[in-house]
C-alpha cells in the first residue's frame, strides 16, 4: 500500500501472519540478527535495506502484534529533479566517465547480489553474479572480468579458498579482488585480509563505500550513480 503525503511517500507492506514477537521486534534491523537455524540465513537482508533507505534520507520500521500480522513501513522523501538534470537537456548526461567494467560479484545472499546488480548496472558497468564458490570458479574459467567482489563466508567453497585459486590460476586478477565480509572483527578473518593485501568491504555496507572501493581497486574514476537521489 502506497500513501503519498506532502513531501514524502509512505509505503506499507502488510501481512496477516503470526506477527513478530515483542522481544524480537526491536532487533529485526540489527546486522546478523536472525531467528532462522544456523546455516539458513545471515540476518543481513533487513539491515542492508535499512542502510539503503537511510542513505536516501528515509526511514523504515516495523509494527506488529503477536497473532495480528505485521506491517513494514518505508518512508521516503520526495525529491524533484532540477531542470538542469533533465537527460535530454544535457548533451553529456548519457556519457559516463571512465570505461565500462565487467565485474563478477560472488555472494550467497541473493539480496546482496540484487543490490549490486542494480547499483553497478545503473553506473553503466556489466555485472555478472555467482551464488557460491563453485559457480564463481566456473565463470572465472571463461575469463573476461576486470574486477571480482568476493564474499569471504560461503557454504560450499569459502572466499579464502576462491582467492587462493584465483591467485594461482588467474594471477592478473589477484590485485583486482575486493573482499566483502560481516566478520572482520574475527582475528582469523583480519589476519587473512591483512595477509592478502586486498581491501575489504564490511557488511552492511554503505553505497558510497562500495563506489570508492570498487573503482579504486579497478584503477578507474568513480562512475557510480549518486546514492542520494
Amino acid at each position: 500500500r502506497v500513501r503519498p503525503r506532502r513531501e514524502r511517500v509512505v509505503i506499507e507492506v502488510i501481512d496477516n501472519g503470526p506477527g513478530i514477537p515483542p522481544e524480537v521486534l526491536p532487533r529485526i534491523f540489527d546486522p546478523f540478527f536472525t531467528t532462522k537455524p544456523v546455516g539458513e540465513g545471515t540476518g543481513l537482508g533487513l539491515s542492508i535495506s535499512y542502510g539503503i533507505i537511510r542513505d536516501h534520507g528515509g526511514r523504515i520500521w516495523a509494527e506488529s502484534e503477536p497473532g495480528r500480522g505485521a506491517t513494514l513501513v518505508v518512508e521516503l522523501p520526495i525529491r524533484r529533479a532540477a531542470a538542469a538534470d533533465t537527460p535530454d537537456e544535457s548533451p553529456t548526461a548519457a556519457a559516463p566517465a571512465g570505461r565500462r567494467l565487467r565485474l563478477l560479484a560472488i555472494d550467497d545472499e541473493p539480496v546482496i547480489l540484487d543490490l549490486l546488480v542494480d547499483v553497478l548496472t545503473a553506473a553503466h558497468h556489466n555485472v555478472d553474479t555467482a551464488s557460491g564458490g563453485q559457480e564463481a570458479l566456473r565463470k572465472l574459467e571463461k575469463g573476461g572480468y576486470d574486477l571480482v567482489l568476493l564474499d569471504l563466508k560461503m557454504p560450499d567453497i569459502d572466499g579464502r579458498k576462491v582467492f587462493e585459486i584465483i591467485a594461482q590460476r588467474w594471477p592478473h586478477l589477484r590485485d583486482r579482488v575486493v573482499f566483502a565480509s560481516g566478520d572482520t572483527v574475527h582475528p582469523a578473518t583480519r589476519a587473512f585480509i591483512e595477509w592478502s593485501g586486498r581491501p575489504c568491504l564490511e557488511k552492511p555496507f554503505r553505497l558510497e563505500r562500495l563506489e570508492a572501493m570498487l573503482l579504486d581497486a579497478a584503477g578507474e574514476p568513480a562512475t557510480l550513480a549518486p546514492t542520494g537521489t
Side-chain angles (χ1 to χ4, degrees):
R1 184 170 67 183
V2 180
R3 293 187 290 145
R5 296 180 179 177
R6 184 177 181 181
E7 302 303 327
R8 58 182 175 156
V9 171
V10 178
I11 304 168
E12 295 180 350
V13 181
I14 305 170
D15 70 29
N16 59 357
I20 304 172
E23 67 274 15
V24 171
L25 188 59
R27 302 190 61 194
I28 63 172
F29 297 105
D30 291 351
F32 301 105
F33 175 76
T34 179
T35 57
K36 294 180 180 179
V38 175
E40 293 188 14
T42 62
L44 283 172
L46 284 176
S47 176
I48 291 175
S49 299
Y50 176 88
I52 295 170
I53 293 166
R54 182 189 58 190
D55 287 349
H56 286 78
R59 298 191 300 150
I60 181 172
W61 70 91
E63 301 170 353
S64 180
E65 294 181 25
R68 302 187 63 179
T71 301
L72 196 67
V73 186
V74 177
E75 181 182 274
L76 292 168
I78 296 174
R79 297 184 179 179
R80 308 184 190 285
D85 294 333
T86 305
D88 56 7
E89 296 295 327
S90 174
T92 60
R99 72 182 172 90
R100 294 188 178 187
L101 302 174
R102 188 178 182 207
L103 304 105
L104 177 62
I106 310 166
D107 202 296
D108 64 328
E109 285 286 323
V111 66
I112 294 178
L113 290 179
D114 289 345
L115 170 65
L116 292 170
V117 169
D118 288 346
V119 173
L120 297 172
T121 301
H124 308 283
H125 298 301
N126 297 319
V127 186
D128 197 2
T129 63
S131 57
Q134 292 181 349
E135 182 183 3
L137 293 175
R138 289 196 296 268
K139 292 192 173 185
L140 285 166
E141 287 284 357
K142 300 177 182 179
Y145 296 107
D146 301 303
L147 190 68
V148 177
L149 179 61
L150 175 60
D151 184 24
L152 283 176
K153 190 174 181 180
M154 294 183 291
D156 54 355
I157 302 177
D158 67 17
R160 301 182 192 192
K161 184 61 178 178
V162 172
F163 179 72
E164 293 172 359
I165 295 174
I166 288 174
Q168 293 171 358
R169 297 185 186 175
W170 309 284
H172 66 286
L173 278 179
R174 187 195 185 282
D175 293 336
R176 290 290 184 106
V177 173
V178 174
F179 296 128
S181 176
D183 189 32
T184 56
V185 297
H186 194 287
T189 302
R190 294 192 65 85
F192 172 76
I193 294 171
E194 292 175 4
W195 169 82
S196 71
R198 303 308 305 142
C200 182
L201 188 67
E202 295 189 33
K203 298 178 182 179
F205 52 80
R206 295 177 64 89
L207 298 182
E208 294 92 339
R209 181 63 173 160
L210 169 69
E211 171 181 7
M213 191 168 289
L214 292 182
L215 274 298
D216 180 69
E220 295 289 332
T223 60
L224 295 187
T227 59
T229 58

